[in-house]
Amino acid sequence: MIATIVILFFLLLFMGMPIAVMLLITTTATLAIHTNTSLAVIPQQLFNALDNSILLSIPFFILAGNVMTQGSMARRLIDVVNSFVGSFPGGLAIAGTLACLFFAALSGSSPATVVAIGSVMIPALIEAGYGEKFSIGLLTSAGSLGVVIPPSIPMILYCLVMNTSIAELFMAGIVPGLLIGGSFIAYTVYLARKNGWQRSRSVTWGERLRILKDGIWGVLLPVIVLGGIYAGVFTPTEAAAVSLVYSLLVEICIYREIGIRDVPEVCIQGAVLSGCLLFILASAMTLIWLLTSQRLPHQIADLITAHVSSGWVFLILVSILFLILGTVMDNVSAMLILSPLFAETLGRFGIDYIHYGIIMVLVIEFGFLTPPFGLNLFIAMGLTDKSLVEVSNSIWPFLAILLFCLLLVTFIPQISLFLPGLLLR
């Protein structure tokens, strides 16, 4: 059975088959060849995979991100951050990184963060003399923090397939996200001092308060959403709905950057992306059901534990596997397919599911930044009119920083487990 799945999987993958269709064909063919089970179970499992209220949070977060991307919340957020750090060495670039951190906490989406912040900050940084290569690399890479800083759509998907707490994983992503953002800022300050990049003019406290008043509605959203989840006021699904309603009210009624006539187009864009993600999820969950019913995770665990004696070695090997798979397929899809297969192995090595989930999310962040399937690279190409090679060359220093942070999170579990252990366990 394993041979059939592997052969079909990679054959269809290299034929260019869409990932969801490829998963369904693999599941159906394997079921027909190796079992006597009726194929009527396929639509049943597709339905069961989507019969989960938590999935409602995905389209809500996607729609909220689209609203904020098309509105002015991102621009006002940049102004707020820049008013506080613009006078530091590399202040404008620091403001861009911090804006990505904040917007990631608003949208939960890496591509939305690159579009919203990068479209404003990349031209501003280049005009201020920060260098084209650095400006593109920084905003493309910092935009990937959308998958690490909660709320995060890949985190929600991981919790669904691994049956873990979304609130715990959200909280576990805060410190690693700040670690990566802080590392990008430290690198920016180093280059700013080395190259003598100009600073923004000092802003008086009166001006700062005026800018903060203008952008306070955007600053409050992550406080409301994440604070509500951790305080038990509402569930992650309800939090996603709150973020959508809040962003619509702010953009339509307060900032008035979006009109009622723009809402249908925002909904259409969100529906297309949500449909793609949910179709992939349902197909992956159906394949996972087949593999689990045939006890393949136990067989894989037996095989791994027979040849690997250390949990650390296992985590490194899995990370390398996902990085390699990221060159031939989307890492989010790889996570949905393979993570449940390693669930039994994680238990045998005593590896916390939350710790493993953060490692997977960081590897997914790599996937957004590495060709040929790095979605952030394609978005940066569209924003800057540069080739894939030019954009890819600009992000290598930041990939090195990200790799260093990945190793720290892997070998020091408390970086990700400290907050959940302190507040939720």
Side-chain angles (χ1 to χ4, degrees):
M1 177 179 289
I2 295 178
T4 301
I5 292 173
V6 171
I7 292 172
L8 282 173
F9 184 86
F10 283 101
L11 178 63
L12 296 173
L13 180 65
F14 287 112
M15 287 174 60
M17 190 76 67
I19 187 70
V21 177
M22 178 187 71
L23 293 173
L24 277 180
I25 292 176
T26 301
T27 304
T28 304
T30 304
L31 195 68
I33 295 171
H34 294 281
T35 73
N36 295 321
T37 306
S38 170
L39 294 183
V41 75
I42 298 293
Q44 293 173 2
Q45 291 301 322
L46 288 171
F47 176 83
N48 291 338
L50 298 178
D51 187 20
N52 192 323
S53 61
I54 295 176
L55 287 175
L56 288 173
S57 63
I58 294 177
F60 281 139
F61 277 128
I62 289 174
L63 284 172
N66 285 349
V67 169
M68 290 180 285
T69 300
Q70 296 197 18
S72 65
M73 202 173 287
R75 174 175 53 79
R76 295 170 192 266
L77 187 61
I78 292 171
D79 291 340
V80 171
V81 174
N82 193 46
S83 70
F84 284 91
V85 301
S87 59
F88 296 163
L92 190 61
I94 295 173
T97 304
L98 292 176
C100 286
L101 282 169
F102 273 102
F103 196 84
L106 301 180
S107 67
S109 169
S110 177
T113 304
V114 177
V115 171
I117 306 299
S119 59
V120 177
M121 290 301 301
I122 291 176
L125 287 172
I126 294 174
E127 184 178 351
Y130 279 78
E132 187 175 72
K133 184 176 180 180
F134 170 81
S135 303
I136 295 172
L138 174 66
L139 271 299
T140 304
S141 304
S144 66
L145 292 170
V147 301
V148 184
I149 298 293
S152 163
I153 292 173
M155 285 185 181
I156 296 172
L157 295 173
Y158 172 85
C159 290
L160 285 170
V161 298
M162 296 294 281
N163 195 27
T164 58
S165 167
I166 293 178
E168 282 193 45
L169 193 61
F170 276 5
M171 188 164 286
I174 294 175
V175 175
L178 294 177
L179 172 65
I180 296 169
S183 300
F184 286 173
I185 289 173
Y187 178 65
T188 297
V189 172
Y190 164 75
L191 289 182
R193 293 184 182 277
K194 178 182 177 181
N195 298 320
W197 288 335
Q198 69 181 47
R199 310 182 187 191
S200 301
R201 70 174 181 86
S202 297
V203 178
T204 66
W205 275 105
E207 292 175 306
R208 194 171 286 140
L209 290 175
R210 179 184 57 78
I211 294 171
L212 180 60
K213 180 181 177 181
D214 190 43
I216 191 65
W217 297 104
V219 175
L220 284 177
L221 180 54
V223 177
I224 294 172
V225 171
L226 298 178
I229 293 174
Y230 300 141
V233 177
F234 37 68
T235 66
T237 301
E238 293 166 342
V242 168
S243 70
L244 174 58
V245 174
Y246 181 94
S247 59
L248 279 171
L249 289 175
V250 170
E251 294 289 5
I252 293 175
C253 302
I254 299 177
Y255 293 155
R256 298 183 179 179
E257 296 285 342
I258 292 180
I260 298 297
R261 65 183 181 277
D262 299 317
V263 174
E265 179 63 26
V266 171
C267 292
I268 290 172
Q269 294 175 2
V272 171
L273 182 55
S274 299
C276 292
L277 282 176
L278 294 177
F279 187 24
I280 292 173
L281 176 65
S283 301
M285 292 291 284
T286 303
L287 178 59
I288 290 166
W289 163 81
L290 172 62
L291 300 177
T292 304
S293 67
Q294 301 299 314
R295 294 183 57 82
L296 284 182
H298 291 77
Q299 297 176 32
I300 292 174
D302 291 338
L303 180 64
I304 292 175
T305 53
H307 295 86
V308 178
S309 59
S310 168
W312 304 115
V313 175
F314 168 72
L315 288 176
I316 292 174
L317 291 176
V318 169
S319 297
I320 293 173
L321 172 62
F322 274 86
L323 291 174
I324 294 173
L325 285 177
T327 64
V328 295
M329 67 182 296
D330 170 36
N331 264 344
V332 176
S333 301
M335 178 195 71
L336 292 176
I337 299 166
L338 294 179
S339 287
L341 291 180
F342 297 134
E344 179 69 20
T345 310
L346 294 174
R348 296 190 187 184
F349 282 124
I351 299 171
D352 192 288
Y353 279 18
I354 298 298
H355 178 217
Y356 177 76
I358 294 300
I359 294 173
M360 288 298 96
V361 168
L362 292 183
V363 173
I364 287 172
E365 186 176 4
F366 260 98
F368 276 107
L369 297 172
T370 52
F373 292 100
L375 184 56
N376 283 17
L377 301 180
F378 297 125
I379 292 173
M381 288 168 59
L383 293 177
T384 61
D385 198 28
K386 299 293 182 181
S387 68
L388 179 61
V389 173
E390 290 175 303
V391 174
S392 299
N393 287 337
S394 70
I395 53 92
W396 290 118
F398 301 97
L399 280 180
I401 294 172
L402 186 56
L403 178 60
F404 174 73
C405 294
L406 172 60
L407 292 174
L408 284 180
V409 171
T410 299
F411 288 105
I412 309 176
Q414 284 305 309
I415 292 177
S416 55
L417 299 180
F418 170 72
L419 282 181
L422 180 67
L423 301 176
L424 295 179
R425 294 186 176 182

